Amino acid sequence: MYRTHNCGELRKSDIGKQVTLSGWVQKIRDKGFMIWVDMRDRYGISQLIFDEQRTSKDLLNQAKSLGREFVIQIHGEVIERASKNQNIPTGDIEILVKELTILNSSTTPPFTIEDNTDGGEELRMKYRYLDIRREPIKKNLILRHEITQQVRKYLSDNSFIEVETPCLIKSTPEGARDFIVPSRINEGDFYALPQSPQTFKQLLMVAGLDKYFQIVKCFRDEDLRADRQPEFTQIDCEMAFVEQDDVLNTFEGLITDIFKKIKKIDINKFPKITYEQAIEIYGTDKPDIRFGMEFVELNDVCQHKDFNMFNSAELVVGIVVNGGNTFTRKEIDKYIDWIKTPQVGAMGMVYLRCNDDGGFKSSVDKFYDQADLKNIAEKTKANKGDLIMILSGDKNKVRSQLGALRLELAKNLGLRNSEEFAPLWVVDFPLLNWDEEENKFHAMHHPFTSPKPDQIDLLKTSPSSVKANAYDLVINGNEIGGGSIRIHNKSVQEQMFKCLGFTKKESEEQFGFLMNAFKYGSPPHGGIAFGLDRLVAILGGSETIRDFIAFPKNNAGRDVMIDSPSKISKEQLKELKLKQDL
Ligand code: ASP
């Protein structure tokens, strides 16, 4: 028997017991006459002790031959520690070793396997199996496990059934490129990996399953962006006979339950704002509402003087930094430099200090007198001691720039507390957005999303004004889930494809199977999918999803551990009838 106990469970009450443990050598402290070894497994760390007085010479020598990450088995007696360690649950005891077996040796690991490691991210990914031995990563994977178990339990308790849908499918446009798999036995034909099980879950509603869910891998061949994974996991859900509010209520229940069970946090507010409001107030459709700093539009109080930058702008908009008058000139200049960086792209920033004596000092004092500045301050509801930051320019650009500045300020001011959670629904997205380059409409969510019920007719006359029956769940500035009520009517679906520039033949070829199904009594239905990786990361207090995925890809989409993607052999290429240098 390899072990009677694990390395995390022995306590004071076990003193006197003879135990057998197996695990890895985490740390060795060799004082010559006395050796301590920290022995680790998934459950914790137990301290082993070997000493000249109580341990045979051979055993002591054997202990001296140990190295980091050796796999060992020991047999010994649980004794009370002379100096206790309050930081670990096994800190009251140690094990006086009587027998030691080296089960396997280890070469020196390329980085230290400790909470704060010296290994860079690329190295840690290359040796992911060693990285997972570290407590923080292991803890994240356990958290992920707990969340998925809770999701399964909640949904299944609420009559959802888990159904697996295929991975080898044909292209479903969800806004990204497909990963393609050549078919050997159907020469010249290709499968696509699902960007999501969207059409299948809708077909399951036609099939009458009523409530479906799946914790499912999705694949999107997108251009590289920080913290995106080409394969990621969704909690994918669909329900029949529902309207938007039914879906929102059901999944508020799920999210509330996860926070309660996993984090012991009660979340009871899910404010709802429209897409338009989100853009106007926060400059983004995924606002972080843990803090205020809402946008105030200032055209009417700024465009009456000789200041051309404001006068020529489509939008003049500001935010108030509470207590920001303490910022030094240097600090303000740093923000100005920051917003001018290419990634933000603003032209400049105007600031207005609200002094404690009731006066104002601004970077545009040349153009605006105290009365003007007071007007601006009043409009923004700024108080003495505050700082107002103002951007101007093209509406869309300036909103996203100020949105970025708002987040940067909040980060620096410590307002983005990772243990505080502020969810909200963003609703009423536009159905379509116009792609200038391609000169055509794209579905903002996906082509199966229904227009608002009273706007279906507008699809024919004014498609760009149509609002979608779609919704996103946002938590702390991250889009955690998105979904919609679907089109369940063949002719509306045909009209939608037409708006998206599909010919009848193209839509028939690609989605005939779905529209055909709609002919056989398709119920009204809708659903949502949550990004599991991001949800887990947020619950884990981080925004780096890679740390919550067992074997993630790096930012270049590569698995540096198994070295993939990689070339395939000439034989494989031949078999698949693929040419290498096309
Ligand atoms: N399939 C959609 C997505 O992956 C989610 C949904 O509409 O349910 O974003």
Side-chain angles (χ1 to χ4, degrees):
M1 185 156 82
Y2 279 113
R3 52 188 171 183
T4 55
H5 295 79
N6 65 49
C7 295
E9 69 179 309
L10 294 169
R11 300 283 182 275
K12 230 174 174 165
S13 54
D14 296 302
I15 288 170
K17 280 190 190 155
Q18 305 296 317
V19 296
T20 307
L21 302 181
S22 290
W24 286 262
V25 172
Q26 161 108 359
K27 217 188 312 162
I28 307 162
R29 266 160 302 141
D30 185 350
K31 293 258 178 227
F33 59 95
M34 210 175 257
I35 300 172
W36 288 275
V37 174
D38 279 352
M39 182 172 177
R40 164 185 20 88
D41 66 10
R42 188 183 111 194
Y43 308 93
I45 288 179
S46 285
Q47 177 167 291
L48 314 178
I49 177 165
F50 305 79
D51 79 31
E52 247 173 19
Q53 282 168 9
R54 294 175 286 183
T55 309
S56 73
K57 215 176 170 66
D58 282 353
L59 189 50
L60 206 60
N61 282 336
Q62 213 190 349
K64 280 179 195 288
S65 75
L66 293 176
R68 278 200 285 149
E69 300 308 315
F70 276 41
V71 186
I72 57 173
Q73 180 191 36
I74 60 99
H75 181 71
E77 182 181 335
V78 183
I79 59 173
E80 183 160 9
R81 268 203 217 189
S83 63
K84 312 234 174 341
N85 178 352
Q86 308 297 351
N87 298 327
I88 55 170
T90 60
D92 284 341
I93 58 102
E94 60 193 353
I95 294 131
L96 179 64
V97 177
K98 295 184 180 150
E99 273 169 52
L100 165 67
T101 313
I102 296 178
L103 299 174
N104 214 339
S105 62
S106 168
T107 49
T108 309
F111 51 86
T112 53
I113 302 191
E114 284 168 22
D115 289 8
N116 290 317
T117 177
D118 54 0
E121 190 170 23
E122 201 77 2
L123 193 64
R124 285 170 38 216
M125 280 207 211
K126 179 155 186 204
Y127 297 92
R128 188 62 164 175
Y129 44 89
L130 297 180
D131 202 23
I132 297 173
R133 285 185 195 168
R134 293 171 53 235
E135 179 67 19
I137 303 292
K138 182 190 76 192
K139 208 176 78 210
N140 291 348
L141 295 183
I142 294 173
L143 174 69
R144 187 179 175 116
H145 159 79
E146 285 167 353
I147 292 171
T148 52
Q149 294 309 305
Q150 193 55 37
V151 167
R152 286 204 161 91
K153 174 158 184 0
Y154 184 89
L155 291 175
S156 153
D157 286 351
N158 281 277
S159 305
F160 285 79
I161 58 171
E162 186 166 11
V163 181
E164 287 170 81
T165 52
C167 271
L168 295 174
I169 64 165
K170 89 181 191 182
S171 167
T172 305
E174 296 249 7
R177 286 192 190 80
D178 289 318
F179 280 102
I180 296 297
V181 182
S183 164
R184 180 181 56 81
I185 43 183
N186 299 280
E187 197 188 317
D189 287 347
F190 297 83
Y191 300 100
L193 300 180
Q195 293 186 37
S196 89
Q198 184 61 38
T199 49
F200 288 97
K201 67 174 172 174
Q202 292 191 237
L203 291 170
L204 290 173
M205 294 303 104
V206 179
L209 287 192
D210 202 61
K211 288 179 176 167
Y212 141 95
F213 85 99
Q214 185 180 191
I215 296 183
V216 62
K217 273 290 173 75
C218 300
F219 306 86
R220 295 185 191 177
D221 188 5
E222 284 177 303
D223 289 338
L224 304 174
R225 265 206 256 161
D227 215 26
R228 281 265 178 139
Q229 291 282 313
E231 59 176 299
F232 59 97
T233 306
Q234 285 189 342
I235 307 166
D236 190 43
C237 310
E238 196 75 5
M239 305 165 81
F241 302 111
V242 284
E243 292 173 338
Q244 175 166 302
D245 276 346
D246 301 315
V247 179
L248 303 196
N249 288 336
T250 303
F251 293 99
E252 278 177 22
L254 171 68
I255 296 295
T256 306
D257 182 70
I258 296 172
F259 274 96
K260 194 167 178 66
K261 302 277 165 51
I262 307 289
K263 298 288 291 185
K264 316 278 175 264
I265 291 179
D266 284 314
I267 297 219
N268 37 34
K269 274 203 307 242
F270 287 79
K272 211 193 276 177
I273 65 171
T274 66
Y275 170 84
E276 235 163 58
Q277 287 170 325
I279 301 287
E280 275 172 25
I281 304 175
Y282 303 103
T284 169
D285 59 2
K286 39 180 182 181
D288 187 343
I289 57 164
R290 279 173 295 184
F291 55 95
M293 276 203 247
E294 296 175 358
F295 293 8
V296 186
E297 301 196 352
L298 299 169
N299 292 43
D300 56 343
V301 287
C302 284
Q303 288 183 323
H304 61 299
K305 285 291 170 78
D306 248 359
F307 186 45
N308 193 39
M309 191 166 105
F310 280 176
N311 293 349
S312 62
E314 189 182 7
L315 178 69
V316 183
V317 56
I319 47 177
V320 177
V321 185
N322 289 331
N325 196 20
T326 54
F327 285 12
T328 60
R329 181 60 208 263
K330 229 170 138 186
E331 280 173 303
I332 295 179
D333 283 346
K334 251 172 93 182
Y335 283 108
I336 296 179
D337 290 344
W338 183 82
I339 59 162
K340 286 186 183 165
T341 54
Q343 99 237 29
V344 189
M347 299 293 286
M349 181 181 91
V350 167
Y351 66 86
L352 198 170
R353 292 176 177 279
C354 306
N355 293 331
D356 290 337
D357 62 7
F360 302 96
K361 173 95 195 72
S362 83
S363 56
V364 284
D365 280 354
K366 234 169 61 192
F367 301 96
Y368 296 92
D369 59 25
Q370 288 289 306
D372 296 324
L373 299 176
K374 184 163 183 245
N375 249 341
I376 298 175
E378 272 173 6
K379 176 110 202 236
T380 63
K381 302 204 173 71
N383 294 312
K384 288 176 187 168
D386 291 348
L387 175 76
I388 307 169
M389 292 183 168
I390 304 173
L391 301 188
S392 60
D394 168 81
K395 208 151 85 186
N396 293 336
K397 281 194 190 136
V398 99
R399 282 180 175 146
S400 85
Q401 290 156 357
L402 192 60
L405 177 61
R406 177 178 175 269
L407 290 182
E408 179 71 9
L409 281 160
K411 185 181 87 193
N412 296 344
L413 295 170
L415 301 175
R416 304 192 74 187
N417 172 5
S418 65
E419 283 304 309
E420 192 190 328
F421 300 94
L424 80 154
W425 292 108
V426 180
V427 299
D428 295 357
F429 283 81
L431 185 71
L432 304 163
N433 61 359
W434 183 252
D435 187 324
E436 294 285 348
E437 269 167 40
E438 292 186 49
N439 220 6
K440 62 178 198 184
F441 281 118
H442 284 298
M444 189 120 168
H445 187 52
H446 54 52
F448 315 106
T449 293
S450 168
K452 290 259 153 207
D454 55 345
Q455 299 192 356
I456 292 181
D457 288 343
L458 281 180
L459 260 189
K460 286 199 183 114
T461 51
S462 169
S464 61
S465 70
V466 178
K467 295 268 183 297
N469 214 344
Y471 31 79
D472 275 359
L473 179 73
V474 175
I475 303 180
N476 296 0
N478 295 281
E479 182 196 326
I480 291 299
S484 59
I485 298 297
R486 325 298 184 189
I487 297 168
H488 65 282
N489 171 298
K490 181 166 186 284
S491 67
V492 180
Q493 189 65 71
E494 275 169 351
Q495 180 62 35
M496 180 68 178
F497 284 130
K498 201 166 152 202
C499 287
L500 297 172
F502 284 74
T503 62
K504 218 173 159 81
K505 186 160 170 268
E506 283 166 345
S507 55
E508 205 38 59
E509 258 168 30
Q510 275 199 58
F511 299 107
F513 67 94
L514 183 69
M515 289 189 288
N516 206 29
F518 287 172
K519 291 196 297 200
Y520 293 93
S522 163
H525 59 283
I528 192 165
F530 298 93
L532 176 69
D533 309 292
R534 182 136 285 130
L535 179 66
V536 176
I538 286 186
L539 273 110
S542 158
E543 297 200 346
T544 311
I545 64 173
R546 289 190 296 275
D547 286 345
F548 296 81
I549 296 174
F551 297 104
K553 309 227 174 343
N554 72 5
N555 271 345
R558 299 198 67 86
D559 183 324
V560 291
M561 183 181 71
I562 60 172
D563 192 21
S564 146
S566 58
K567 302 270 181 293
I568 57 172
S569 71
K570 282 212 175 68
E571 289 70 37
Q572 276 174 306
L573 282 169
K574 211 166 121 198
E575 241 173 20
L576 294 168
K577 307 275 190 307
L578 293 175
K579 293 219 177 66
Q580 200 157 25
D581 44 7
L582 263 182

